[in-house]
Amino acid sequence: MKQYLVIGLGRFGTSVAQTLYESNEEVLALDIDEELVQEAINSNIVDNAVVMDATDVKSLKELGVSNYDIAFVCTGDIEPSIMITLNLKELGIEKIIAKAVSKSHGKVLAKIGATKVIYPEEYMGRRVAQLAMEPNMIEHLRFSSEFLLLEVKAPSVFWGKTMVELDIRKKYNVNVVGIKKEDQSFRPNLSADTLIEKGDVLLVITDNKTADYLENLK
């Protein structure tokens, strides 16, 4: 079994950590914010989370993060994400997946050791037009042989219902990290009363089995 390290428990990082944990993978979550770490544990998002400043390479080394196979750098702050990526590279983690907020940020991350750089919001804008020509699902990023970050056109059974009504995470094993609306606006911060409408494109994290199911869900 691979070991996963998730640094940063914002919306994106929390979804990554939760998806891994609910799939019975070994995952350690780190964040400098004690409240976010405690919330993740209390909400059963993960059972192994630590309050830590991941820009401190000494602390990472003492924690033994070099034993992890894949690391996700999910913080949106540019300077900390660069320092964290450098630290992980120095400690010998072979696969580092880092979130970038701009092209220049992404270039720096790639140069200093990130094996994969992702731009969730930008990607949604560029790829949504392809939905008219391709199947309902468009893969964005394969984290491993088991997990995907992907776009999926909201099936009709979701239309007119809120996130809390659908309970998507529990019923479908899917974590929704953003919604692309028909007017091309992107909504990354979803709440329980966020309404899913016809024409919405969901950015989700899930496993292979669920991805196949979603592709055929009408």
Side-chain angles (χ1 to χ4, degrees), residues 83-216:
M83 287 301 303
I84 292 167
T85 302
L86 275 171
N87 290 342
L88 297 175
K89 184 67 175 179
E90 181 180 331
L91 292 173
I93 294 183
E94 294 185 2
K95 189 169 185 178
I96 303 170
I97 300 171
K99 173 185 174 181
V101 297
S102 67
K103 284 294 184 181
S104 57
H105 182 202
K107 287 180 181 179
V108 173
L109 291 172
K111 286 183 178 180
I112 63 176
T115 49
K116 183 71 177 181
V117 177
I118 59 175
Y119 307 85
E121 294 187 28
E122 177 184 322
Y123 184 85
M124 287 289 286
R126 289 188 292 106
R127 293 293 300 274
V128 69
Q130 297 184 14
L131 289 172
M133 301 176 288
E134 298 184 10
N136 283 349
M137 184 179 68
I138 303 175
E139 181 177 325
H140 177 192
L141 173 66
R142 182 174 290 275
F143 293 151
S144 67
S145 60
E146 295 88 13
F147 301 104
L148 307 171
L149 171 66
L150 53 89
E151 296 171 351
V152 57
K153 191 173 181 180
S156 60
V157 294
F158 286 9
W159 300 349
K161 297 180 180 178
T162 63
M163 294 291 290
V164 69
E165 288 174 331
L166 289 167
D167 199 7
I168 297 175
R169 181 178 64 80
K170 183 176 181 180
K171 292 181 180 179
Y172 300 96
N173 191 34
V174 170
N175 284 292
V176 181
V177 297
I179 297 178
K180 183 76 173 183
K181 308 298 289 186
E182 279 196 305
D183 63 3
Q184 305 303 304
S185 63
F186 180 71
R187 300 181 184 178
N189 299 313
L190 308 181
S191 63
D193 60 356
T194 296
L195 186 69
I196 294 181
E197 302 172 303
K198 181 178 179 180
D200 284 352
V201 178
L202 311 180
L203 181 62
V204 306
I205 299 175
T206 191
D207 56 30
N208 288 326
K209 183 178 180 180
T210 306
D212 292 338
Y213 175 75
L214 286 175
E215 187 176 19
N216 296 306

Side-chain angles (χ1 to χ4, degrees), residues 58-76:
K58 182 179 179 181
S59 296
L60 288 174
K61 186 175 182 180
E62 291 175 350
L63 191 62
V65 301
S66 58
N67 295 320
Y68 286 78
D69 302 288
I70 300 175
F72 295 88
V73 181
C74 302
T75 178

